[in-house]
Amino acid sequence: MAVGAFVIWGLMPLYWHLLKSVPSMHVVLHRALWSAVLVAAFLTLTRGRGWLRAVLSQPRLAGMLLASGLLIGFNWSLYVWAVNAGHVVEASLGYFINPLLNVVIGVVFLRERLAPAQWVAVALAACGVLWLTFNYGSFPWIALLLAGSFAIYGLIRRYAAVDAVAGLGVENLYLLVPAALALAWLETQGSGGFVSLDWGVGSNLLLVLGGALTALPLIGFAYAVRQVSLTTVGVLQYLAPTLQLLCGVLVLGEPFGRDRAIGFAVIWLGLAVFAADGFIRARRRIVAQQA
């Protein structure tokens, strides 16, 4: 299930690319709407109607999920726009950088200390970003905003005392009302395209199924992390951006010249150092526990 979740996330650019004829904002609004409906239905069927009341009865928790919902909504919006604007490769870079950015946030906000190897990994990633900025010709703002918004989202969810699926359900419900109102207004103005079938029945079906594609890997991931080690999950998480990169270059034909390849290679080297250090630390813990 962990592999399935990361593969779905990795191949998702191809799905959103099928909706290139639909304005990106419409795609995001429908994604929020149908994801909220499907996740709420799943939770109601599996847990009854009390799941929402249990969360909203805790004001601090409800406020944290509002903040995380706004962040994930921003992340979705930027990602869908990036895919349909021809920036899949840069979007994939954001999810390569994300694990290292989580380390930096741990130092800044949680007062965690980095091992020497982790400092090396962060420094290499920073060098790769600087190389892309000055040699590729543009600052990778899409990648950094995607990585930053998802890292802060993860920080909030770390302290939100709620399981992943219920938290996702509440986040989506916060987005449901504004998304539904915005879509209704667009339809009344004649620019909605969904009710009038301007985009075709096939595109409408893809918009609805996009909600399921948003929810299913998150539900699968939430189940998987309880069954396998976090070390395994940490390695598997690189499946998603790797597949996104391959989709962008091999399927969607985005450029990947020498300068961009050098920048990515330096960042990947940092990731390799980071992953190797994490693996060694995990093995040491296992040996210590067995002893």
Side-chain angles (χ1 to χ4, degrees):
M1 292 188 76
V3 171
F6 288 118
V7 168
I8 289 174
W9 281 325
L11 298 179
M12 206 170 277
L14 301 180
Y15 189 89
W16 300 128
H17 189 72
L18 295 175
L19 290 164
K20 195 171 184 179
S21 61
V22 180
S24 296
M25 184 52 64
H26 289 68
V27 174
V28 173
L29 291 172
H30 278 283
R31 184 181 187 181
L33 172 67
W34 299 114
S35 177
V37 170
L38 292 169
V39 173
F42 172 81
L43 286 167
T44 302
L45 287 173
T46 56
R47 306 185 186 184
R49 290 178 293 181
W51 67 271
L52 181 59
R53 185 170 57 254
V55 175
L56 296 183
S57 63
Q58 306 174 63
R60 183 173 180 272
L61 176 58
M64 294 174 73
L65 291 175
L66 172 60
S68 62
L70 293 174
L71 279 169
I72 202 65
F74 169 78
N75 187 275
W76 289 351
S77 301
L78 181 58
Y79 183 75
V80 171
W81 175 84
V83 168
N84 288 338
H87 299 292
V88 175
V89 171
E90 188 174 338
S92 73
L93 175 63
Y95 294 106
F96 278 118
I97 294 174
N98 179 252
L100 294 178
L101 193 56
N102 286 334
V103 172
V104 175
I105 285 178
V107 172
V108 174
F109 292 99
L110 307 179
R111 301 182 183 275
E112 296 177 354
R113 293 186 177 182
L114 295 188
Q118 292 174 321
W119 279 115
V120 171
V122 171
L124 285 169
C127 288
V129 170
L130 290 173
W131 173 273
L132 289 171
T133 301
F134 294 107
N135 290 280
Y136 186 66
S138 62
F139 185 75
W141 65 271
I142 296 173
L144 293 178
L145 283 176
L146 284 173
S149 60
F150 200 72
I152 298 172
Y153 169 81
L155 179 66
I156 294 174
R157 289 301 303 270
R158 176 187 175 96
Y159 290 103
V162 62
D163 73 85
V165 183
L168 174 66
V170 175
E171 289 169 349
N172 283 345
L173 287 178
Y174 279 129
L175 300 176
L176 172 62
V177 174
L181 290 175
L183 287 170
W185 183 82
L186 289 169
E187 292 292 347
T188 60
Q189 298 300 307
S191 56
F194 187 84
V195 174
S196 60
L197 298 178
D198 289 349
W199 305 316
V201 175
S203 291
N204 280 8
L205 183 60
L206 289 175
L207 287 170
V208 175
L209 292 177
L213 272 183
T214 298
L216 286 176
L218 283 168
I219 293 171
F221 176 76
Y223 173 81
V225 293
R226 296 187 179 95
Q227 310 299 322
V228 297
S229 71
L230 290 179
T231 304
T232 302
V233 173
V235 174
L236 289 176
Q237 71 177 327
Y238 295 112
L239 272 174
T242 300
L243 289 172
Q244 290 170 13
L245 174 65
L246 293 174
C247 287
V249 176
L250 300 180
V251 181
L252 302 179
E254 291 189 19
F256 194 73
R258 182 180 65 89
D259 286 339
R260 180 172 272 193
I262 291 173
F264 269 68
V266 174
I267 292 171
W268 286 333
L269 180 59
L271 292 172
V273 172
F274 177 75
D277 178 70
F279 180 77
I280 292 171
R281 287 171 176 273
R283 293 299 300 171
R284 286 175 179 170
R285 283 195 296 268
I286 292 173
V287 171
Q289 290 171 356
Q290 292 175 341

